[in-house]
Amino acid sequence: KKLVNNKCIRRLYKFFRFPLSYQMLPVLESNYTQRRYMRVRRAMLYVPGDEWNKINKAITLNVDSICMDLEDGTALNRKESARETICKALTELDFGKSERLVRINAVGSGMEISELNAVLPHHPNGIVIPKIETVDQLNIIDGVISDFESANGSEPGEIRILAVVESAKGILNLREIAAHPRLDAIIFGAEDFTANIGAKRTANGALEAMSVAMAMARSSVNSGWVISLIRPASRARRAEIGSPVSTIWV
């Protein structure tokens, strides 16, 4: 019994000690590949897409995932510059074992397709899509990525999708969203969800609302595909980390 416990301790230590490339979890078969592996994302660093120095700093931190932001982290008049900076980073910088993610603007913003067309040729590992409320939004992005993969001879499903769910409608449609074959993770936007339902950030009200939403999310995820459910850290924890990170997801 003592030997078994020691083995468990060693396995747990190995799991939390090594970077994500050593922590690839097998998941269910998809429409794209007979078998694929899902990354473990223990920490995601969120970096403004137009700030080259911060991206350079982020790649030295050996984190699981680095997400370069084209949405809220980039001012409207800096979107074009951010695209160029992200494309340059994907081409020139060595991210090591860190996952290379790009968050585009929401479906329907008028910017999402041009952003995809700009970054896909530079082969990010995944695309983060904000404000997901229906599976149809995922299908639009999936169609653009599939066309790119087909035209460039890439393995179907190689570029993954991470969906940010931050509204009541998104929570209600989680079962369909979670079943999408290209989806790797659901990011729960707790702060925006709280604002969407009109909850106040009090000690009880908002936390209870988020607990219900998280329970619904886990139920939807566990009933279907084995995917990641990522929750954003509190603002207090973000402040502890500081520059170069704009947002921390754990």
Side-chain angles (χ1 to χ4, degrees):
K1 184 175 180 181
K2 183 177 180 181
L3 180 62
V4 171
N5 289 339
N6 287 340
K7 285 182 178 179
C8 291
I9 291 171
R10 286 197 297 270
R11 292 182 67 183
L12 285 171
Y13 175 79
K14 181 179 179 181
F15 179 86
F16 288 105
R17 171 66 180 84
F18 290 112
L20 83 168
S21 290
Y22 297 95
Q23 308 297 331
M24 306 295 280
L25 303 181
V27 300
L28 301 180
E29 294 184 358
S30 73
N31 294 337
Y32 295 109
T33 56
Q34 291 186 344
R35 188 174 182 83
R36 63 178 176 83
Y37 290 84
M38 180 177 64
R39 294 176 181 267
V40 173
R41 301 176 179 92
R42 292 163 294 185
M44 181 186 296
L45 301 190
Y46 223 80
V47 186
D50 61 333
E51 299 199 32
W52 177 259
N53 290 337
K54 290 185 178 181
I55 298 174
N56 261 294
K57 179 61 182 294
I59 66 174
T60 68
L61 302 178
N62 194 31
V63 297
D64 293 339
S65 304
I66 296 173
C67 183
M68 294 169 283
D69 189 19
L70 284 168
E71 198 213 12
D72 289 346
T74 302
L76 186 60
N77 62 350
R78 299 283 297 170
K79 300 290 188 185
E80 187 62 37
S81 173
R83 291 185 203 178
E84 296 174 0
T85 301
I86 290 174
C87 291
K88 181 180 179 182
L90 290 171
T91 302
E92 299 181 6
L93 297 183
D94 181 7
F95 284 71
K97 293 181 174 63
S98 297
E99 182 182 28
R100 307 181 307 162
L101 301 174
V102 178
R103 179 165 79 160
I104 61 174
N105 280 276
V107 176
S109 66
M111 294 180 279
E112 70 278 11
I113 303 301
S114 58
E115 290 171 347
L116 281 174
N117 290 334
V119 302
L120 288 178
H122 302 279
H123 304 286
N125 299 124
I127 300 296
V128 180
I129 315 170
K131 299 178 174 63
I132 290 296
E133 294 185 329
T134 69
V135 72
D136 291 338
Q137 294 171 305
L138 293 182
N139 289 335
I140 292 173
I141 303 302
D142 176 50
V144 176
I145 298 175
S146 295
D147 290 344
F148 169 80
E149 290 173 338
S150 177
N152 290 272
S154 302
E155 180 182 351
E158 180 181 12
I159 299 173
R160 309 307 299 166
I161 283 177
L162 294 82
V164 185
V165 175
E166 45 197 304
S167 69
K169 185 176 180 180
I171 293 294
L172 292 175
N173 290 325
L174 266 178
R175 187 178 298 274
E176 292 77 17
I177 293 170
H180 196 283
R182 194 183 288 272
L183 187 70
D184 251 21
I186 293 174
I187 300 172
F188 178 47
E191 298 291 340
D192 289 323
F193 174 78
T194 301
N196 178 260
I197 64 175
K200 293 183 179 180
R201 205 68 166 91
T202 61
N204 295 321
L207 292 178
E208 290 175 0
M210 286 187 286
S211 297
V212 172
M214 288 295 291
M216 292 178 65
R218 289 193 177 97
S219 175
S220 297
V221 170
N222 292 337
S223 66
W225 274 63
V226 182
I227 64 173
S228 300
L229 181 61
I230 305 173
R231 184 173 59 87
S234 66
R235 288 179 180 174
R237 289 196 61 193
R238 296 178 208 167
E240 291 175 5
I241 305 296
S243 182
V245 182
S246 291
T247 307
I248 305 163
W249 307 91
V250 294

